[in-house]
Amino acid sequence: MSYIPVQVRASRVPRRAATLFVALFLALVIAAVVAALSVYSLPAGVVAVVVDPVSGTISKPVLGPALGVKAPWAYLIEDTYAIEILEFAQKEKATGKWVFSAPEVLTKDGVVVTVEMVVRYRIVPERFDELIKRFPQVDYDDKVLVPKARQLIRDIISKVTLDELIASRDVIAKQIEETYKTAVENDPAVAGLVAILDVNVQNFVLPQQITDAINRKVAAQQDAIRAQFERQRVEELARANFTRTVLAAMAEANATITRARAQAMQVMLVANATRTAIEMIIRAAGANATEAARLAELYIYLAGLREVAQTGNVQIVAVSGGGQVVPVIPLAR
């Protein structure tokens, strides 16, 4: 059997169809690129303007969340219109993006003071296009907010002494806060474009040696107060003791006077009773003056013997004419 070669001719795509296919593919690629460059989206809390370098125009602000279309050659400038914070802290803490080193300023008497402060602010999103015209790099904080804070703090602290700063720290802090807020609101570069919500001066940091000296002074004052309190307590205790002593003495004196008056009254009563008794005896006996005197002496004598007998164990004795002592009446108390 002999071999018979067979030739197969490949089908050829028409040149015009191939060209159309390539053109369509390129058109799709270009359309995808144009769409990617023209469509943009904004998340919530973000405001943006569209800048057209060809026409030299800036669009009105667009607030997110939003989906928009722009010219492929145009670009967006964005910023957040949520609340933002500028913090002025000591150098070792000033490491974050929005944390700046706290200004170190001199008081009127030459003491270095570091002022830590926090500023809360937000931009006015409806006027973001005006803000971008003034600050194309969106650096209004670096160019206005931060340097203005440093300058105002320096101006205010330089007018007070250290003692005035310590004594009136709350007043001076309030002055810094109100002055800064007013200054930003009236600054022509950001007036009406940036709103300062609040300013909080957190601390006036003094050099360590000054702080140590103040602590020693405070400790000495506290010791003096304690000593004064102890002295007052001792004085009050002494006054109380003196008052008690005086009152006791007055009470004793009054008691003595009362007892003396009672005794005097008793003596007077006894005397009156004795006199009445003697008069009754004299009248009953019908004695003359000499006998009356003798009866009075005898009555008084016997009354005295009775009082003596009532004081203890005694005996009443009689003495005979010969000098012999003879007990007559023994009396026991």
Side-chain angles (χ1 to χ4, degrees):
M1 175 181 286
S2 62
Y3 175 74
I4 301 173
V6 177
Q7 183 178 5
V8 180
R9 299 183 60 184
S11 60
R12 299 182 60 185
V13 178
R15 180 176 298 179
R16 183 177 181 181
T19 303
L20 288 175
F21 177 78
V22 172
L24 180 60
F25 177 77
L26 292 177
L28 291 175
V29 172
I30 294 173
V33 172
V34 169
L37 295 176
S38 300
V39 177
Y40 64 88
S41 64
L42 298 177
V46 173
V47 60
V49 292
V50 178
V51 180
D52 190 336
V54 176
S55 62
T57 59
I58 297 177
S59 71
K60 287 296 182 181
V62 179
L63 280 65
L67 183 66
V69 178
K70 62 178 182 61
W73 55 84
Y75 58 91
L76 296 178
I77 298 180
E78 303 177 3
D79 197 6
T80 176
Y81 59 87
I83 296 175
E84 295 199 66
I85 295 176
L86 293 177
E87 182 178 357
F88 297 89
Q90 296 187 66
K91 291 181 179 179
E92 58 271 17
K93 300 178 183 178
T95 56
K97 181 179 180 181
W98 305 112
V99 181
F100 301 86
S101 61
E104 297 180 350
V105 297
L106 292 176
T107 62
K108 188 176 181 179
D109 47 356
V111 178
V112 178
V113 177
T114 303
V115 181
E116 294 185 318
M117 185 173 72
V118 174
V119 178
R120 294 173 63 248
Y121 72 97
R122 66 188 295 269
I123 65 172
V124 179
E126 295 79 9
R127 302 182 64 182
F128 183 59
D129 55 329
E130 299 178 47
L131 186 64
I132 289 304
K133 291 177 182 177
R134 301 178 187 182
F135 302 95
Q137 303 300 320
V138 200
D139 53 357
Y140 50 87
D141 46 2
D142 289 330
K143 290 186 176 179
V144 177
L145 302 184
V146 173
K148 188 174 290 293
R150 296 184 185 281
Q151 183 61 46
L152 288 177
I153 291 173
R154 185 178 296 107
D155 292 343
I156 293 174
I157 298 300
S158 65
K159 296 177 182 178
V160 298
T161 63
L162 177 62
D163 291 339
E164 292 172 340
L165 179 62
I166 295 174
S168 306
R169 58 180 298 135
D170 292 339
V171 175
I172 296 173
K174 192 67 175 179
Q175 181 183 1
I176 292 174
E177 293 168 3
E178 293 177 351
T179 302
Y180 180 75
K181 188 173 182 179
T182 302
V184 172
E185 291 174 350
N186 295 332
D187 190 296
V190 294
L193 307 179
V194 177
I196 301 297
L197 303 179
D198 62 68
V199 183
N200 182 20
V201 176
Q202 296 183 318
N203 196 17
F204 295 110
V205 183
L206 304 178
Q208 188 60 45
Q209 60 271 25
I210 299 295
T211 303
D212 293 341
I214 292 175
N215 291 336
R216 288 194 296 269
K217 182 178 179 180
V218 171
Q221 291 175 343
Q222 292 175 345
D223 291 340
I225 292 174
R226 283 194 293 268
Q228 182 179 3
F229 175 79
E230 182 64 21
R231 183 171 61 253
Q232 290 176 347
R233 190 183 68 83
V234 172
E235 291 175 353
E236 291 175 357
L237 181 60
R239 284 195 294 267
N241 292 334
F242 175 76
T243 301
R244 284 195 296 269
T245 303
V246 170
L247 291 176
M250 291 176 63
E252 181 62 26
N254 290 334
T256 301
I257 293 173
T258 301
R259 287 194 298 270
R261 287 176 178 174
Q263 291 174 357
M265 183 63 68
Q266 182 180 7
V267 170
M268 290 179 63
L269 292 174
V270 171
N272 290 333
T274 301
R275 184 183 65 183
T276 302
I278 293 173
E279 290 176 349
M280 292 175 63
I281 293 172
I282 292 173
R283 285 196 299 269
N288 55 28
T290 302
E291 293 173 341
R294 180 61 181 164
L295 288 174
E297 291 177 358
L298 180 60
Y299 183 88
I300 295 172
Y301 176 73
L302 292 175
L305 288 178
R306 185 181 62 186
E307 291 181 0
V308 171
Q310 291 175 348
T311 60
N313 295 325
V314 297
Q315 288 183 336
I316 298 177
V317 299
V319 181
S320 64
Q324 184 178 2
V325 178
V326 180
V328 178
I329 306 173
L331 296 175
R333 188 179 178 182

